[in-house]
Amino acid sequence: MVNFGKRLMADQLEEWKEYYINYKMMKKKVKQYVQQTQNGGRDREQVLKEFARMLDDQIEKIVLFLLQQQGHLASRIEKLGEQRALLMEQSDPSQISELREAYREVGIDLMKLLRFVDMNATGIRKILKKFDKRFGYKFTDYYVSTRANHPCSQLQQIFKQVGIVAVVGALSRNLAFLQDHQGNFPSIYDHPSITLKDPIIEQINHSVQKLTHATNLLQFIGQHALIIPEDMQSGSDDLVDDQSYHFMSLLLNLANTFLYMVNTYIIVPTADDYSVSLGAAATVCGVIIGSMAVAQVFSSVYFSAWSNRSYFRPLVFSSIMLFLGNLLYALAYDVNSLAVLIVGRLLCGLGSARAVNRRYISDCVPLKTRLQASAGFVSASALGMACGPALAGLLQTNFKIYGLTFDQNTLPGWIMCLAWITYLFWLWISFKEPDHIVRENSVSTPSSDSGHRRNSSLEDGLAQPFLIDAKERLDENGEDNDDNEEDPEDSHKPATSLAAAYRLLTPSVKVQLLIYFMLKFAMEILLSESSVVTTFYFNWSTSTVAMFLAVLGLTVLPVNVIVGSYITNLFQDRQILVASEIMVLIGISMSFRFTSHYSVPQYVSSALITFVFAEVLEGKRDSKQECAESQHQHGH
């Protein structure tokens, strides 16, 4: 495939050549900046300011030309409007036909302008990505957030195309009027559902829709729940269209996410009592709660590989494993076995299909719906985290049926058994395997390359930031980045072992994974020992502990919204991460008992600070985790 720089040179209009983004010059500048900063000749802050000014100049050149061309088109439409008013009085069909063709000629020139904007928007996006990749710095977040929301923003012209859409509206209205020279054709503004059947307008609308998808992606870079990759293309590059998209299957994936999070946290308020009732120490509840997370490490591997061939079968297997795990958890009391209890929780962890849920959204949901689906995934997780402890607080009862005990310890297991068997029935009758999975499974291919063929362009985009090359690798559109010192094929070889995959991780990613482990470690300690600590120091009841944990869970969604929508636009990722790590450290330090009196406000405030800022850290790293999972899928 031709790289973007060559494609830009080949596709640009000769008469507009000087107004396109000078992509080749900017690429050379980026390379020079890297060499200068590595040699110590340039300060990084100076480079960032200079590159921002250079990009500002390029965008200003593009936007001023764009406005000029919009003005020319508007003038032509205005003159044609005057002719239309005269012709309506004469009612000459031949002249009306000529006038309609004149409007269509304006439409053809408008499509040229749309292509001009599309090429330049792609160039801006790619040069920002290249700068980030070369410098290991989220310059794109800073640049887009500061320029797009400024009252004097020139970037808004590329983001929203307000002037172009107005020209499209004028063309559509006049062509619709000329379809019936008597002028009684219904107005497109009074009847927005009416579609004008004109080939030029249809092509223009398609171009506008494609351009809107391409430019809107810039607004999502750096936000939470990044199931959407930054370079996902619209149009033909999307894996799924509206016809093949199945809403009920998406809903089943979100329900799986919700139920799994409920399953994880429903036992937290009562796990210490359960372990004591089986003859173990109260602190063994940490092992009971943590065993599910340990098993999830292994389940994410085989579920990621399995989802290459099917989504339905992994979800069925997940439901069965979770049903059996909860059944063992509930029966452990009556058989008086701590081992059965822990095995039950391990089975629940082996049924974690969150990797499948995330991948379904990225592969099987149309691009225009994917952002809402990603938000639904985050919301389902947060709601499940809150509902689990809250539900446990309501299960304060004790009775027996046919010798089986139903109390606050065993009821979470029985309730989740019922939930998963109901979910399995719903899954069996309602889930639809995606069309591209059905097509691939119907074609017999050699096993050696079947995994490679199943990897979509979306997965390639997600995996690339984790690969190390001497230079830069091919990008999503086949761009070779003009660095030809190395065979491009070498940069795409998949990892064949865990050791090989580890070597492919950059040092910064290794550090982030270590921090991610530590924050999860801190969160699990906070949650698993909450009932032990609060009972020992404050004599809290199970219901009180449950409500406290539910309130903590409810903070997840608003925290992610605030960080993704506001904080990310004000500060760099590095600043947010460092500040969050410091606050987590403060929260953990506050949880220690330094005096003879350990108060409820001290514990609650320390728990809130630790949990909230650990969630901020997890939110900023969630996209990294998804990238890692996608990278593992490439290895299969």
Side-chain angles (χ1 to χ4, degrees), residues 229 232 239 304 307-308 311 359 362-363 451-465 627 629-631 633-634:
M232 169 60 83
L239 272 175
S304 296
S307 61
N308 286 329
Y311 292 98
R359 189 172 178 190
S362 67
D363 280 8
H452 173 73
R453 295 184 182 182
R454 281 190 294 273
N455 287 333
S456 65
S457 60
L458 170 64
E459 296 170 272
D460 293 338
L462 284 171
Q464 284 180 359
C627 290
E629 288 172 357
S630 183
Q631 172 68 36
Q633 291 159 9
H634 280 264

Side-chain angles (χ1 to χ4, degrees), residues 333 395-399 405-412 414:
Y333 182 83
L395 303 177
Q396 303 302 302
T397 186
N398 191 345
F399 59 92
T405 303
F406 295 84
D407 61 11
Q408 66 174 12
N409 297 327
T410 62
L411 272 172
W414 293 118

Side-chain angles (χ1 to χ4, degrees), residues 19 21 58-66 116 120 158:
Y19 302 107
I21 182 173
Q58 292 290 316
I59 291 173
E60 182 176 277
K61 174 185 70 175
I62 295 164
V63 168
L64 291 178
F65 179 75
L66 174 62
F116 171 83
N120 282 291
I158 298 175

Side-chain angles (χ1 to χ4, degrees), residues 30-196:
V30 170
K31 192 172 183 179
Q32 290 174 9
Y33 289 151
V34 173
Q35 293 172 348
Q36 291 169 355
T37 53
Q38 288 176 348
N39 297 333
R42 296 289 293 274
D43 177 71
R44 172 175 287 214
E45 196 69 27
Q46 183 184 1
V47 166
L48 295 177
K49 290 180 179 179
E50 184 175 319
F51 183 75
R53 283 196 297 269
M54 188 187 310
L55 191 54
D56 287 341
D57 290 340
Q58 292 290 316
I59 291 173
E60 182 176 277
K61 174 185 70 175
I62 295 164
V63 168
L64 291 178
F65 179 75
L66 174 62
L67 293 173
Q68 183 187 73
Q69 292 302 309
Q70 288 176 6
H72 291 332
L73 293 174
S75 297
R76 289 169 63 184
I77 293 174
E78 183 182 14
K79 291 178 181 178
L80 291 175
E82 295 172 357
Q83 296 179 32
R84 178 179 63 84
L86 294 174
L87 285 177
M88 288 304 99
E89 298 175 359
Q90 301 173 5
S91 299
D92 186 341
S94 61
Q95 293 186 4
I96 290 175
S97 178
E98 292 177 3
L99 183 60
R100 186 183 297 115
E101 290 304 314
Y103 274 113
R104 286 173 177 161
E105 288 177 7
V106 175
I108 292 172
D109 289 340
L110 176 58
M111 283 195 291
K112 293 179 182 178
L113 191 60
L114 287 168
R115 180 62 177 164
F116 171 83
V117 177
D118 188 20
M119 293 294 290
N120 282 291
T122 303
I124 293 168
R125 176 164 50 85
K126 284 186 171 292
I127 201 65
L128 284 169
K129 177 189 173 185
K130 188 176 296 295
F131 190 91
D132 286 353
K133 191 186 296 183
R134 285 294 192 96
F135 279 83
Y137 179 80
K138 283 284 187 179
F139 175 78
T140 301
D141 291 351
Y142 155 76
Y143 188 85
V144 174
S145 61
T146 54
R147 268 61 174 178
N149 299 321
H150 195 277
C152 300
S153 170
Q154 293 177 324
L155 206 56
Q156 286 284 8
Q157 287 292 330
I158 298 175
F159 268 174
K160 298 194 174 180
Q161 311 100 36
V162 176
I164 291 180
V165 172
V167 175
V168 174
L171 276 175
S172 300
R173 189 184 72 84
N174 284 283
L175 282 172
F177 187 88
L178 289 172
Q179 280 194 356
D180 186 329
H181 67 271
Q182 299 300 324
N184 56 13
F185 188 88
S187 169
I188 62 171
Y189 301 116
D190 295 332
H191 303 275
S193 61
I194 293 177
T195 302
L196 177 62

